[in-house]
Amino acid sequence: MSLWRVFATLFLLAGIAAAADYRAEPAGPPPSEAAALASALAAEGIKVVKPDGGALCSFWFARETGKENEPEQNATWGLPHGTFLGVVRVESRWSDRRGQPIRPGVYTLRLSFFPMNGDHQGVAPQRDFAILSPAEIDKDAAAKPSFDQLMDMSRKASRTPHPLVLSLWKESGPVETGIAAEGESDQVLRTAIGGTPVALIVYGRSDH
């Protein structure tokens, strides 16, 4: 094969790889479905764009998250359980870490820590998760629902015995907003929520 063909092949493969990446784009102001929470949200959202160019979902994160304390055991973020993290609008076929479908619509995101009872062993290295609940029933950004309350709200979104969950963790240093492929299948959005650098798996699945 000639050198030119080698370069042409590498260029084509690089283009295919780039085309397969998820990416982040501006999403504009918060959706009208989250009007009751708009004052607690950042003015500009983040749209997650799929490799085919279609929108997967859009996030509007909280302006502030409140005072942080020492994290719970095996957690990365020392905020109270149930802290409001933002809202997400689902725009096309999507699923959570369990493979449960997330139907198109607008959901709140709240912080939770999975119990240390052995049932969730191997789900993720950390216990931090973002729990999705229907925005129409979760309208108070200042609320701090208990574990059971939050799970009940999220089951109204999943329509199954299990809540809708996204894997989340606090990063140790500043990050630039963007999406990167990690592991075998995960697409990880890094950004800041209330000034805190975080990572959120927006595509990927755990078999646990």
Side-chain angles (χ1 to χ4, degrees):
M1 181 182 293
S2 69
L3 186 60
W4 183 88
R5 287 184 179 274
V6 171
F7 282 130
T9 300
L10 291 175
F11 181 79
L12 178 61
L13 291 175
I16 293 172
D21 288 341
Y22 284 67
R23 66 182 188 276
E25 294 182 354
S32 60
E33 296 91 334
L37 301 164
S39 62
L41 298 171
E44 181 69 47
I46 301 169
K47 180 184 293 185
V48 177
V49 180
K50 299 181 294 182
D52 64 7
L56 177 66
C57 62
S58 296
F59 293 96
W60 289 267
F61 291 114
R63 294 177 185 270
E64 300 178 359
T65 53
K67 182 180 178 181
E68 184 175 0
N69 298 307
E70 186 69 21
E72 294 187 16
Q73 184 179 354
N74 295 341
T76 66
W77 207 351
L79 292 172
H81 181 278
T83 294
F84 177 71
L85 301 179
V87 301
V88 57
R89 181 175 63 204
V90 179
E91 305 188 48
S92 64
R93 184 178 179 181
W94 195 24
S95 60
D96 74 353
R97 291 291 285 166
R98 296 179 59 90
Q100 297 185 121
I102 307 176
R103 296 168 179 82
V106 178
Y107 303 87
T108 58
L109 299 165
R110 290 187 182 272
L111 182 65
S112 183
F113 309 99
F114 68 72
M116 297 179 63
N117 56 11
D119 291 343
H120 301 82
Q121 187 173 359
V123 171
Q126 81 292 336
R127 293 174 54 215
D128 318 52
F129 280 84
I131 305 298
L132 281 68
S133 300
E136 63 264 25
I137 67 169
D138 187 7
K139 298 182 178 182
D140 183 4
K144 299 288 191 301
S146 68
F147 182 86
D148 288 341
Q149 289 172 332
L150 186 55
M151 298 306 107
D152 285 343
M153 288 197 300
S154 186
R155 291 185 190 106
K156 291 179 173 61
S158 68
R159 305 178 193 176
T160 75
H162 299 283
L164 294 177
V165 299
L166 300 178
S167 188
L168 167 84
W169 62 92
K170 177 184 173 182
E171 290 282 35
S172 59
V175 298
E176 292 186 10
T177 295
I179 299 174
E182 297 187 10
E184 295 183 359
S185 63
D186 291 344
Q187 296 285 328
V188 181
L189 168 65
R190 284 184 169 80
T191 188
I193 301 180
T196 299
V198 299
L200 181 73
I201 297 179
V202 295
Y203 179 85
R205 181 173 177 178
S206 170
D207 293 327
H208 295 278

